[in-house]
Amino acid sequence: MNNIPQLPVAQWIDSLVKWLSGFEGFFNAITNFIGGIVDGFQWVFDIIPIWLAIVLIAGLTYYLLRDRKHWSMIAFEVVGLLYIWNQGYWRDMTQTLTLVLTSSLIALIIGIPIGIWMAKSNTVQLIAKPILDFMQTMPAFVYLIPAVAFFGIGMVPGVIASVIFAMPPTVRMTNLGIRQVPNELIEAADSYGSTSWQKLIKVQLPLAKSTLMAGVNQSMMLSLSMVVIASMIGAMGLGNKVYFAVGRNDAGSGFAAGLAIVILAIILDRVTQAINKTPSDKS
């Protein structure tokens, strides 16, 4: 075995990164674009008074659930958000939410069309599946290396790493949802002379909504799971508080910030699940 030459995988990757680094203008454009989205979300969160933000979040949850059985969830949201405010983590929470929303939005914009393409072509599905497996099984820390190499440090590389890590569920569930649409409905749409675009918009996507939204929920939760890891490359937010607490061996501050992340995760999970429910589910 010792006589077998070692494949220069590390050298190949280094050469690829060095070659891609030559496209500095392209990566700067992406940085500016994503940075604009991040700044936009953060600007909105900063101008809304905290008390009003809590009222709006509770009101949105009430509108989506519309069921007295879920008053406990609304109460949890209010108490949880008041806890975050009380601990002085509100702006850190909004920075984390900005990272999650930005990465989830980009993952949807890229992932849903790829999922549709996979559903329409078995060849694309055959090619995309190993790539998605690779994206999901690669340790999340590895994504930080190219993110820093191409985009520096800060929120933008954190968003990029989160997008790569969180996009596969959206792609897979979009593909699965469209493929699960009954052939009888597709044939009926064909018999009425529907175009491919009309079938997609009026038949396949509406019927695949439940499965698609499950993928959106998973992608959002995976994005949130990256906040502590992204803090290692300068992404601000609650993850940054946890990261520094670990470095100082400060169990109290780390737990307090970690609890804020848990509260945010539960709120995002319940809200996205509520969007996925039909009116009959809510009654």
Side-chain angles (χ1 to χ4, degrees), residues 14-261:
D14 288 339
S15 298
L16 177 62
V17 170
K18 185 177 180 180
W19 177 74
L20 289 173
S21 298
F23 299 92
E24 185 176 353
F26 172 73
F27 292 113
N28 286 341
I30 294 178
T31 300
N32 293 333
F33 175 73
I34 296 177
I37 298 175
V38 170
D39 292 341
F41 274 125
Q42 193 60 54
W43 178 79
V44 171
F45 291 137
D46 286 344
I47 65 171
I48 299 176
I50 297 177
W51 65 268
L52 180 58
I54 296 174
V55 171
L56 290 175
I57 293 171
L60 174 64
T61 305
Y62 173 79
Y63 173 76
L64 291 172
L65 297 177
R66 301 185 196 135
D67 190 341
R68 290 184 179 276
K69 292 185 293 185
H70 293 289
W71 279 111
S72 58
M73 180 59 209
I74 297 173
F76 170 83
E77 284 185 348
V78 173
V79 172
L81 293 173
L82 287 174
Y83 162 80
I84 294 173
W85 187 10
N86 174 263
Q87 294 297 303
Y89 291 143
W90 186 265
R91 194 164 198 280
D92 297 298
M93 186 273 290
T94 60
Q95 289 173 327
T96 296
L97 187 57
T98 293
L99 188 150
V100 172
L101 292 179
T102 304
S103 57
S104 299
L105 177 63
I106 296 173
L108 294 183
I109 292 173
I110 299 174
I112 291 177
I114 295 175
I116 294 171
W117 193 14
M118 286 177 62
K120 299 291 184 180
S121 171
N122 290 330
T123 302
V124 174
Q125 178 177 242
L126 186 65
I127 296 171
K129 272 191 172 182
I131 298 174
L132 294 174
D133 292 338
F134 176 84
M135 291 169 66
Q136 286 189 291
T137 54
M138 177 67 72
F141 286 95
V142 177
Y143 293 132
L144 303 183
I145 301 172
V148 171
F150 298 136
F151 302 100
I153 61 173
M155 291 290 280
V156 172
V159 169
I160 296 293
S162 298
V163 168
I164 299 172
F165 185 66
M167 189 168 60
T170 295
V171 178
R172 290 184 187 277
M173 299 302 275
T174 301
N175 173 42
L176 178 64
I178 292 177
R179 286 181 177 270
Q180 286 180 335
V181 175
N183 289 329
E184 294 80 4
L185 296 178
I186 302 299
E187 292 170 358
D190 288 333
S191 67
Y192 281 102
S194 299
T195 64
S196 296
W197 181 254
Q198 288 172 329
K199 282 189 296 184
L200 176 66
I201 298 300
K202 297 184 178 181
V203 179
Q204 292 172 311
L205 286 180
L207 291 174
K209 178 196 169 188
S210 179
T211 305
L212 194 153
M213 286 301 300
V216 172
N217 178 271
Q218 290 181 28
S219 290
M220 190 169 286
M221 293 299 101
L222 287 175
S223 294
L224 187 57
S225 72
M226 281 289 290
V227 297
V228 178
I229 299 174
S231 68
M232 299 176 63
I233 54 174
M236 303 303 292
L238 293 169
N240 194 262
K241 298 296 184 183
V242 175
Y243 178 61
F244 280 108
V246 171
R248 296 191 302 265
N249 195 25
D250 187 351
S253 297
F255 182 84
L259 183 58
I261 295 176

